[in-house]
C-alpha cells in the first residue's frame, strides 16, 4: 500500500499538477488585479452608485451587481487565456505526437518523376 502511494507521488504527473496550480494561482492574481484596477473603476464610472459601481441600497442592504459583473469578466478573461495560451498549443502538440511526427513526403513534380524513370530505365540497359 505504501509503495503504491510512493509511486503515485513520485510519478511526474503530481509534480506537473503542483506546478500548474502555482502558475494558475499567480495568473488568477494577475487577472484579479487587472479587473480591480481597470474593469471595476470602469463599471463604477458607467454605472455609478458606490465604490464598485452599479450597486443598489434597499433597507440598508447593498446589492452590488457591479461586483458580480466584474467577477464574470474576470472569469471570462481567465478562461480565454487558459484556453488560448494552454489548451490550443497543448492540443496541437498532442496531435503532432499522435501523428508520429513523420515529415510530409516531398512532392516531386510529374516531369521530374518521368525524367527519373527514363534515367533509371537507361541505367538498367
Amino acid at each position: 500500500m505504501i509503495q503504491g502511494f510512493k509511486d503515485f507521488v513520485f510519478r511526474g504527473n503530481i509534480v506537473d499538477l503542483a506546478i500548474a496550480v502555482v502558475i494558475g494561482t499567480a495568473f488568477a492574481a494577475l487577472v484579479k488585479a487587472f479587473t480591480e484596477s481597470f474593469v471595476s473603476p470602469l463599471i463604477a464610472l458607467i454605472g455609478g452608485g458606490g465604490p464598485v459601481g452599479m450597486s443598489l441600497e434597499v433597507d440598508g442592504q447593498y446589492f452590488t451587481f457591479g461586483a458580480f459583473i466584474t467577477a464574470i469578466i474576470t472569469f471570462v478573461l481567465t478562461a480565454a487565456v487558459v484556453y488560448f495560451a494552454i489548451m490550443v498549443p497543448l492540443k496541437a502538440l498532442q496531435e503532432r505526437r499522435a501523428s508520429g511526427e513523420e515529415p510530409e513526403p516531398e512532392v516531386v513534380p510529374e516531369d521530374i518523376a518521368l525524367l527519373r524513370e527514363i534515367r533509371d530505365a537507361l541505367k538498367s540497359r
Side-chain angles (χ1 to χ4, degrees):
M1 180 184 277
I2 299 295
Q3 183 61 36
F5 179 72
K6 284 181 183 178
D7 293 341
F8 172 74
V9 169
F10 291 115
R11 194 173 15 169
N13 296 342
I14 286 289
V15 175
D16 294 341
L17 181 62
I19 292 169
V21 167
V22 169
I23 290 173
T25 303
F27 178 72
L30 178 68
V31 171
K32 182 179 179 189
F34 174 77
T35 54
E36 287 177 354
S37 298
F38 296 102
V39 176
S40 291
L42 183 62
I43 290 174
L45 183 65
I46 293 171
V52 291
M54 294 186 183
S55 62
L56 178 66
E57 181 183 359
V58 177
D59 292 333
Q61 300 297 317
Y62 285 96
F63 296 93
T64 57
F65 48 93
F68 180 70
I69 292 171
T70 301
I72 290 173
I73 293 170
T74 302
F75 172 77
V76 170
L77 286 175
T78 304
V81 170
V82 166
Y83 178 75
F84 290 111
I86 296 173
M87 294 305 297
V88 171
L90 184 62
K91 184 177 179 182
L93 179 65
Q94 287 174 342
E95 288 174 355
R96 193 176 325 141
R97 284 184 179 173
S99 70
E101 293 187 27
E102 295 179 14
E104 293 186 22
E106 181 181 330
V107 177
V108 178
E110 191 174 326
D111 56 342
I112 300 296
L114 183 59
L115 287 172
R116 287 180 182 170
E117 287 179 31
I118 294 171
R119 178 194 65 197
D120 294 340
L122 290 174
K123 279 185 181 179
S124 66
R125 284 187 183 183

